[in-house]
Amino acid sequence: MASGRWWRRAASTVWRSLTVWAASTLTMMVLAGLLPDFQLQSASGDSMTRVAMTAASGAGAFAVLSALVWPILVRALLLVPALVLGLVVFFLNGGVLLVALHLVPDGRGEINAETAVVVAAVMSAVASATGGALAVRDDDAYRRRLYRLAARRRRRAGPDAGCPPTPGTVFLQLDGVGHDLLRRAADQDLMPTVGAWLREGGHRLTPWRTDWSSQTGASQLGILHGSTWDVPAFRWYEKDTGEIQVSNRPTSATELQRRAVEHTGDGGLLTLDGASRGNLFSGGAEQVALVLSVAARRGKENRSRAGYFAYFSDPANAVRTALSFCAEVGREIGQSTRARVRGERPRVGRGGLYPFIRAFATVVERDVVVAAVIGDLLAGRSAVYADLVAYDEVAHHSGPFGRDAEKVLERLDRSLALIAKVAEHAPRPYRIVVLSDHGQSPGETFRSRYGLTLQDLVRAGCGLPVPRKVRRTRSGAEARSAVRAALHRPVERTEPPVVRGRRSEPVVLASGNLGLVSFPDVPHRMTKEEIDRRHPALLTTLAHHPGIGFLLVRSAEHGGVVLGARGAEVPVDDLVDGKGPLADFGPGAADTVRRTHAFPHTADIMVNSFHDPVDGEVLAFEEQIGSHGGLGGAQGRPFLLSPPDLSPPVADGTELVGAEQVHHVLRRWLREGSGPQVPVEKSPAGGAGIASFTVAPPGQREESA
């Protein structure tokens, strides 16, 4: 019986290989007939049979060379920036085809270099599609292939790296997808996988509430490292160092992770056999790919880019992703042109490098991260955390509810389905948890509504000259930094403040609809009284502007005050949700403002934009029509989607508040799967693997924070 199964499997493998070979041969013959610079016959002409044999020889040689030579080529190009590697795969593939045709007998395969690039790309795409279609139709073959891949990984890991029978956990972060948006997408069948989990699998969909700084830097730091302390925004000025911290800058991400580890005394969520994929922070994982906090390192310590090369070492992956990249660039150009022709409002500029940045986020990073997660599943790792940034990037520029963003949600759902399918064939059971770090609130930009930026308004309130031409603000989209890291571009340095006399000009920064104003020449956080003496009109100008919701400033008399329109001034200790300047900002606003007020690096003036509670709109201080970073609307209401075999995140009737509390929930779920984790060794360093853990004996449990 076993012998019979072996023969059936062997026959199935041979049949699939022959089918792919035949498809490649036919593709080569068709292209030779269409392209004048591609010949498969001698000058005197050949019969169709002879042309078919030449095509079969070329296709076979191309397939063998791709399997043998391609991984070596990619490994030899480890120093090439990852994004550049993704773009040059066409030329590498074309070179392999040139060599393959030179191996055809009698020299009948002739092609120039430019045409070879096109032919190789088409042949790789056809072979990949044919093989994938056959695998989908043959579930047994698909399962066996996954088992073989898993067994191969286990052999590489050695005989002592057995996979435990306890379940592993995969945390998949859908960057920027809010709770209400996910529910609507599932109900409208935009995300059928999520919808099926909610309807049939009994998954729990739990909303949670962010801090005032509703953005990936704060939320993911809290989720992975258990601390959002002293992260007042996406970017902020620090008077003690004279530096601007930017959450998606590699050096800043490294420093923020170091501070969080120092604050908690813990290495992170993923210190026990964990993997971090596509994140700003490592979570203490040893296995990292596309992780920004390690991207600034040099040498062997930086393994973050290894995920690119593991993915692109397969020529089919490389060509498919490169083709999808080009298609996405074209799709963005078409969509932005259509929006401009129709006069859609609100709208922001989407030219320059943005189409390529969008394609990187929605295609390259997605494909590499998903492939890395699949590899982690087949390797049987205990905990995996991966961030998919595609929706967040598109929603910033197209709006959170537009058709462009809906298409991205559909593709993300297919990624979830693929990961769930692979998890069924992993060497250990897996629980898949899906969550987000924040939502997105719609609305036009502050600049488009009022014709000036927040910086212009601050300068006017300070009596400084305001430029006649309105300047654009920089976007804080997460994918932009990932592209810079992939290209090995140097870190952008912030220009020092301009000094006039003994006073420097104010530093005005934007994080979505949250603005920060700092006076660099004053070493401490200024009080309201000091600001009024220095710039008597500034606070009044800001607080009374219709685009401003409220201000937070330090006070010599009250410790801190929140200022609003019509002279409203409420001490932070007296803040109440739904009343006064915070009337339109929902539950929890008072607590988040009070907490941020206590941060050492809170700006001299914290500015939150207007928010319309009816339609959820805010006014971004950046060039974004879908924004997050402050208070107001869906941006502060992300979600946590968990399978039923995990304990409820919180008790009934209790809210899940803050990324730090989410961190403790995820830690509890990891303990439920593999027993309690007890730290046995710690180091003062801030890098990955700061602490190692062991499973405690029965009865000995780590206390939950």
Side-chain angles (χ1 to χ4, degrees):
M1 184 179 297
S3 177
R5 285 198 300 268
W6 184 89
W7 279 109
R8 285 195 298 272
R9 292 174 183 174
S12 178
T13 301
V14 171
W15 176 77
R16 286 196 305 274
S17 299
L18 291 175
T19 302
V20 172
W21 187 11
S24 298
T25 299
L26 181 60
T27 301
M28 184 173 282
M29 293 176 66
V30 171
L31 292 175
L34 296 175
L35 301 174
D37 295 327
F38 183 24
Q39 299 294 327
L40 291 176
Q41 56 186 341
S42 64
S44 58
D46 287 322
S47 66
M48 184 60 68
T49 301
R50 182 63 180 175
V51 171
M53 293 178 61
T54 302
S57 300
F62 179 63
V64 172
L65 286 175
S66 294
L68 298 178
V69 178
W70 187 270
I72 300 174
L73 287 175
V74 173
R75 182 58 56 185
L77 293 171
L78 284 175
L79 297 180
V80 175
L83 182 56
V84 175
L85 177 62
L87 296 176
V88 303
V89 292
F90 293 111
F91 302 101
L92 294 174
N93 223 24
V96 173
L97 180 62
L98 283 172
V99 175
L101 290 177
H102 278 298
L103 299 177
V104 174
D106 302 326
R108 281 179 163 79
E110 294 184 2
I111 190 171
N112 61 30
E114 295 83 358
T115 307
V117 172
V118 177
V119 174
V122 175
M123 288 184 61
S124 295
V126 169
S128 176
T130 304
L134 293 173
V136 168
R137 294 180 62 85
D138 188 348
D139 289 340
D140 289 337
Y142 181 61
R143 182 171 61 251
R144 289 194 299 273
R145 178 174 179 271
L146 295 177
Y147 284 150
R148 286 197 300 271
L149 288 172
R152 190 182 308 161
R153 289 177 179 270
R154 285 194 295 271
R155 285 196 299 271
R156 290 175 182 172
D160 299 328
C163 192
T166 55
T169 308
V170 179
F171 304 106
L172 301 174
Q173 177 180 305
L174 304 185
D175 206 300
V177 179
H179 171 273
D180 296 344
L181 175 68
L182 185 83
R183 169 63 75 180
R184 182 163 61 250
D187 292 343
Q188 295 177 354
D189 212 31
L190 287 174
M191 304 185 73
T193 302
V194 173
W197 286 346
L198 288 172
R199 291 188 302 270
E200 304 165 10
H203 278 58
R204 291 180 296 263
L205 181 59
T206 306
W208 64 277
R209 201 167 65 228
T210 68
D211 294 334
W212 186 356
S213 181
S214 54
Q215 45 86 21
T216 305
S219 293
Q220 197 178 88
L221 189 67
I223 293 170
L224 289 177
H225 289 279
S227 173
T228 60
W229 178 254
D230 203 20
V231 183
F234 181 81
R235 52 171 68 86
W236 67 94
Y237 178 77
E238 297 190 343
K239 294 187 174 186
D240 50 351
T241 63
E243 295 286 334
I244 293 179
Q245 298 289 349
V246 184
S247 298
N248 68 351
R249 179 184 292 167
T251 53
S252 295
T254 302
E255 175 62 15
L256 295 182
Q257 180 172 314
R258 185 197 66 79
R259 293 179 186 180
V261 170
E262 185 178 82
H263 185 74
T264 62
D266 190 297
L269 182 72
L270 307 174
T271 50
L272 180 64
D273 189 27
S276 180
R277 310 301 189 187
N279 301 311
L280 294 181
F281 311 103
S282 73
E286 289 190 3
Q287 298 294 327
V288 293
L290 283 67
V291 174
L292 204 65
S293 64
V294 303
R297 300 177 184 173
R298 291 293 180 262
K300 296 181 179 180
E301 291 184 349
N302 183 5
R303 302 182 303 275
S304 182
R305 293 170 66 240
Y308 284 108
F309 301 105
Y311 180 80
F312 286 121
S313 62
D314 183 340
N317 288 344
V319 172
R320 182 173 59 250
T321 296
L323 290 171
S324 299
F325 180 93
C326 294
E328 187 71 9
V329 170
R331 184 179 295 114
E332 163 54 27
I333 293 174
Q335 291 171 347
S336 61
T337 301
R338 184 169 60 250
R340 187 167 58 253
V341 170
R342 292 177 177 177
E344 295 180 1
R345 289 287 186 269
R347 190 178 74 246
V348 294
R350 292 158 60 174
L353 291 176
Y354 172 68
F356 300 95
I357 294 172
R358 166 176 164 166
F360 178 85
T362 58
V363 175
V364 179
E365 189 165 34
R366 179 203 63 197
D367 288 354
V368 173
V369 168
V370 169
V373 171
I374 289 174
D376 294 327
L377 293 172
L378 297 177
R381 294 199 172 93
S382 299
V384 182
Y385 193 102
D387 186 11
L388 298 169
V389 303
Y391 170 83
D392 190 64
E393 178 62 31
V394 173
H396 277 313
H397 296 81
S398 303
F401 309 125
R403 185 56 182 161
D404 299 3
E406 289 181 349
K407 286 293 186 182
V408 176
L409 290 175
E410 292 175 350
R411 293 196 291 268
L412 286 176
D413 188 82
R414 289 198 291 270
S415 296
L416 296 180
L418 174 61
I419 291 172
K421 180 67 175 177
V422 173
E424 296 175 2
H425 304 283
R428 66 189 298 180
Y430 273 98
R431 306 164 304 183
I432 297 177
V433 176
V434 186
L435 73 162
S436 61
D437 49 346
H438 55 78
Q440 286 220 18
S441 296
E444 62 183 311
T445 69
F446 188 87
R447 181 178 75 97
S448 66
R449 176 169 292 189
Y450 299 109
L452 78 170
T453 66
L454 177 62
Q455 183 175 19
D456 295 333
L457 186 63
V458 170
R459 291 180 66 85
C462 293
L464 296 171
V466 178
R468 291 184 179 181
K469 185 177 180 180
V470 179
R471 293 166 295 182
R472 291 193 176 189
T473 56
R474 296 294 303 273
S475 171
E478 286 86 343
R480 190 175 300 272
S481 63
V483 173
R484 295 186 64 87
L487 288 170
H488 277 190
R489 292 287 300 277
V491 175
E492 296 176 351
R493 305 303 300 175
T494 304
E495 293 295 327
V498 177
V499 178
R500 299 183 183 275
R502 288 183 300 172
R503 291 182 176 179
S504 60
E505 294 188 0
V507 174
V508 182
L509 301 172
S511 296
N513 74 316
L514 175 63
L516 298 88
V517 183
S518 299
F519 297 92
D521 58 309
V522 180
H524 58 268
R525 184 180 171 198
M526 295 183 72
T527 64
K528 176 182 180 296
E529 294 80 3
E530 289 176 313
I531 296 172
D532 283 339
R533 285 194 297 269
R534 181 170 181 167
H535 300 294
L538 176 58
L539 293 178
T540 301
T541 298
L542 293 174
H544 285 75
H545 193 280
I548 303 298
F550 66 90
L551 313 176
L552 168 66
V553 293
R554 185 175 164 228
S555 170
E557 180 181 358
H558 301 292
V561 293
V562 169
L563 309 178
R566 295 179 295 277
E569 182 175 327
V570 181
V572 292
D573 292 336
D574 298 335
L575 289 173
V576 177
D577 290 338
K579 294 184 179 180
L582 301 183
D584 295 333
F585 291 92
D591 286 339
T592 62
V593 170
R594 273 191 288 266
R595 185 170 188 264
T596 302
H597 174 64
F599 290 168
H601 289 113
T602 296
D604 292 328
I605 308 173
M606 301 286 288
V607 185
N608 203 97
S609 87
F610 155 89
H611 166 239
D612 186 342
V614 176
D615 55 20
E617 288 191 346
V618 299
L619 300 176
F621 298 123
E622 301 180 85
E623 288 301 292
Q624 300 172 348
I625 58 174
S627 67
H628 57 87
L631 286 174
Q635 61 182 319
R637 187 177 164 88
F639 72 89
L640 182 61
L641 180 65
S642 54
D645 54 336
L646 294 172
S647 61
V650 290
D652 291 342
T654 304
E655 278 192 295
L656 185 56
V657 179
E660 293 179 358
Q661 188 175 354
V662 174
H663 171 85
H664 295 307
V665 171
L666 303 191
R667 270 198 178 277
R668 186 213 314 155
W669 287 345
L670 290 178
R671 291 197 302 271
E672 291 173 0
S674 57
Q677 299 174 7
V678 179
V680 296
E681 180 183 352
K682 290 186 179 181
S683 161
I690 182 175
S692 57
F693 290 79
T694 185
V695 178
Q700 179 181 345
R701 286 198 168 271
E702 174 191 14
E703 293 184 3
S704 175

